């Protein structure tokens, strides 16, 4: 079975950095486009970033452009999200997921609201990111 395990979350001050990791198993990782999704308390899940299977095309939600970098190491079956200059508004539970639709569907959404069950094939349990003084 497909398993995705996120790690690397924690509490940081505004302006700080975190690097999230997602370890994948039970699939041919290098065949799958991947995404990061986040969900704040009381809110629905929102798309953050996507990367293609080969790791040479990446897309971001406007709010995180210039601050976040998505990457992957297919030899290690691992997805990453480098987050710099973090803001309190970035506080959320962060999930990695396999994409259900074509790569460019996600950045072309009018709004970043997503549904796990329809927009992604598999997802993990999430890792908490808290940005606070």
């Amino acid at each position: 079975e497909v398993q995705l395990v996120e790690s690397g979350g924690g509490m940081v001050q505004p302006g700080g950095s975190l690097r999230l990791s997602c370890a994948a198993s039970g699939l041919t990782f290098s065949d799958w486009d991947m995404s990061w999704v986040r969900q704040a308390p009381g809110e629905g899940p929102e798309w953050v970033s996507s990367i293609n299977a080969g790791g040479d095309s990446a897309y971001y939600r406007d709010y995180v452009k210039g601050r976040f970098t998505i990457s992957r190491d297919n030899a290690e079956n691992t997805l990453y999200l480098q987050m710099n200059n973090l803001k309190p508004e970035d506080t959320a539970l962060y999930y990695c997921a396999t994409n259900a639709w074509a790569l460019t569907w996600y950045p072309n959404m009018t709004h970043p609201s997503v549904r796990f069950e329809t927009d992604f094939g598999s997802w993990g349990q999430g890792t908490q990111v808290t940005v606070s003084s």
Side-chain angles (χ1 to χ4, degrees), residues 59-113:
Y59 298 92
Y60 302 89
R61 177 184 176 186
D62 286 346
Y63 192 75
V64 308
K65 286 181 179 177
R67 300 189 298 120
F68 290 10
T69 302
I70 190 171
S71 63
R72 64 195 297 162
D73 187 340
N74 285 345
E76 297 294 330
N77 290 346
T78 304
L79 177 73
Y80 300 100
L81 185 67
Q82 178 67 46
M83 305 185 295
N84 298 326
N85 191 24
L86 284 161
K87 305 175 183 295
E89 294 77 17
D90 296 318
T91 295
L93 191 63
Y94 283 71
Y95 301 86
C96 67
T98 59
N99 289 2
W101 313 120
L103 182 69
T104 56
W105 182 87
Y106 302 88
N108 286 333
M109 287 186 290
T110 303
H111 300 97
S113 297

Side-chain angles (χ1 to χ4, degrees), residues 3-7 21-25 36 78-79 96 123-127:
Q3 187 171 11
L4 302 172
V5 181
E6 301 93 340
S7 62
S21 298
C22 171
S25 61
W36 286 98
T78 304
L79 177 73
C96 67
W123 56 92
Q125 294 298 116
T127 185

Side-chain angles (χ1 to χ4, degrees), residues 40-67:
E43 303 292 333
E46 296 185 337
W47 173 78
V48 176
S49 181
S50 293
I51 190 168
N52 73 327
D56 56 355
S57 294
Y59 298 92
Y60 302 89
R61 177 184 176 186
D62 286 346
Y63 192 75
V64 308
K65 286 181 179 177
R67 300 189 298 120

